[in-house]
Amino acid sequence: MELFDLTGRVAVITGGNGGIGLGMAKGMATAGATIVVAGRDAKKNAAAVKELEGLGAVASAIAVDVLKEDSCRALIADTVKAYGRLDILVNNAGMSIRKQPEQYTLDEWRTVLDSNLTSAFLCSHAAYPAMKQGGRGKIVNIGSMMSIFGAPFAAAYAASKGGMVQMTKAMATAWAKDNIQVNAILPGWIDTALTRRARQEVQGLHESVLKRTPAGRWGIPDDFAGIAVFLAATASDFITGAAITVDGGFSVQG
Ligand code: NDP
């Protein structure tokens, strides 16, 4: 269907080499997009490209450390050089350091904020001229339940993910005139490398997520294929500045 067709569109996905990022990449690849996977781990990058090619997509990887401004700018420049355009940017790379607020060092705080929020600013900043020139663009920012709620172990992470939603709204208002839509996805609790570690570090997390999620299960990366296609495609052209939960009902449970 044309509304959801991504044929000819070029998508960059930071952290697209695993977890939720790869789930979104697979969705967009199936809809016809050319995918650039951007992560640090060369093995994961190569495996992701292979998986995407297996779906019949044109895919490649660019080694990126989103903590570095030069690396973010090179990612966008190299993509435009390779494919001649950039239509879709998914700011998905992220991490957490889980401890009580009083236990953070300033370096740890900055690492979380820079990995999750400043990286999204930098990649979007770098992508804007190419999208403007192409006459359209879709930016998808990955927030979290911590964009809405708090937790004792998540001061830096929650600050970064709350900031992600507000940055999404601000960029949406700024770039609507250029036909660039900027939206956020707020995942619930999803089974990935990130949360496997969280389950080890936070006692009782697994059970409390199961109990609170009306869908009765943890999410999986493939749950993000559909929303990624929707927010990247013509179907969502009048949607901008939104923060859409994909959480099995976690955030509406009373
Ligand atoms: P993963 O740990 O599987 O994915 C994180 C990704 O981010 C990896 O691909 C990693 O690539 C990349 N990444 C992290 N730091 C950097 C960096 N400095 N430079 C380049 N890439 C980096 O976890 P998820 O799939 O769960 O996380 C994806 C996003 O979803 C994150 O933003 C996370 O905060 C968010 N999220 C996840 C939830 C969940 O329950 N899983 C819930 C809510 C939000 P590499 O391995 O190559 O470094």
Side-chain angles (χ1 to χ4, degrees):
M1 196 195 294
E2 207 175 303
L3 274 176
F4 297 95
D5 184 13
L6 298 180
T7 305
R9 312 276 167 101
V10 176
V12 167
I13 304 160
T14 68
N17 61 11
I20 292 172
L22 184 55
M24 292 188 288
K26 283 161 62 183
M28 291 193 279
T30 306
T34 294
I35 306 288
V36 176
V37 159
R40 290 172 296 194
D41 184 319
K43 265 196 194 156
K44 281 171 65 185
N45 283 352
V49 168
K50 208 170 160 197
E51 194 169 342
L52 294 166
E53 285 175 343
L55 298 172
V58 176
S60 58
I62 296 181
V64 166
D65 182 351
V66 297
L67 283 168
K68 297 184 177 138
E69 178 179 358
D70 287 357
S71 192
C72 293
R73 296 200 181 283
L75 165 66
I76 302 300
D78 291 351
T79 299
V80 173
K81 202 168 158 198
Y83 298 110
R85 55 183 305 108
L86 174 63
D87 304 282
I88 302 153
L89 168 66
V90 184
N91 289 309
N92 163 78
M95 51 82 74
S96 188
I97 297 173
R98 294 175 198 88
K99 43 176 71 177
Q100 292 282 316
E102 70 276 16
Q103 290 168 343
Y104 278 98
T105 65
L106 182 56
D107 268 357
E108 288 170 334
W109 171 271
R110 284 187 173 139
T111 300
V112 177
L113 269 289
D114 288 354
S115 297
N116 299 355
L117 180 59
T118 308
S119 66
F121 164 72
L122 283 171
C123 291
S124 304
H125 187 272
Y128 172 70
M131 288 182 170
K132 186 178 178 187
Q133 197 185 351
R136 67 174 177 227
K138 299 279 189 180
I139 298 178
V140 180
N141 294 322
I142 305 306
S144 162
M145 288 298 102
M146 293 297 151
S147 302
I148 311 171
F149 303 115
F153 55 83
Y157 186 79
S160 72
K161 294 299 190 178
M164 198 73 147
V165 168
Q166 293 306 105
M167 187 180 74
T168 297
K169 293 176 188 171
M171 286 182 175
T173 61
W175 294 343
K177 66 177 179 0
D178 302 306
N179 192 27
I180 298 169
Q181 289 82 46
V182 189
N183 291 293
I185 298 171
L186 313 188
W189 287 91
I190 316 303
D191 184 17
T192 67
L194 189 84
T195 48
R196 256 162 256 150
R197 197 153 156 216
R199 272 182 272 190
Q200 285 163 9
E201 290 175 4
V202 182
Q203 250 202 341
L205 179 65
H206 178 68
E207 293 73 20
S208 71
V209 167
L210 276 185
K211 199 169 156 204
R212 171 152 180 182
T213 305
R217 65 171 176 87
W218 282 64
I220 57 171
D222 285 352
D223 287 324
F224 292 82
I227 186 79
V229 171
F230 174 61
L231 290 179
T234 310
S236 61
D237 276 358
F238 200 54
I239 299 175
T240 197
I244 300 174
T245 53
V246 179
D247 66 352
F250 183 96
S251 59
V252 295
Q253 175 78 281

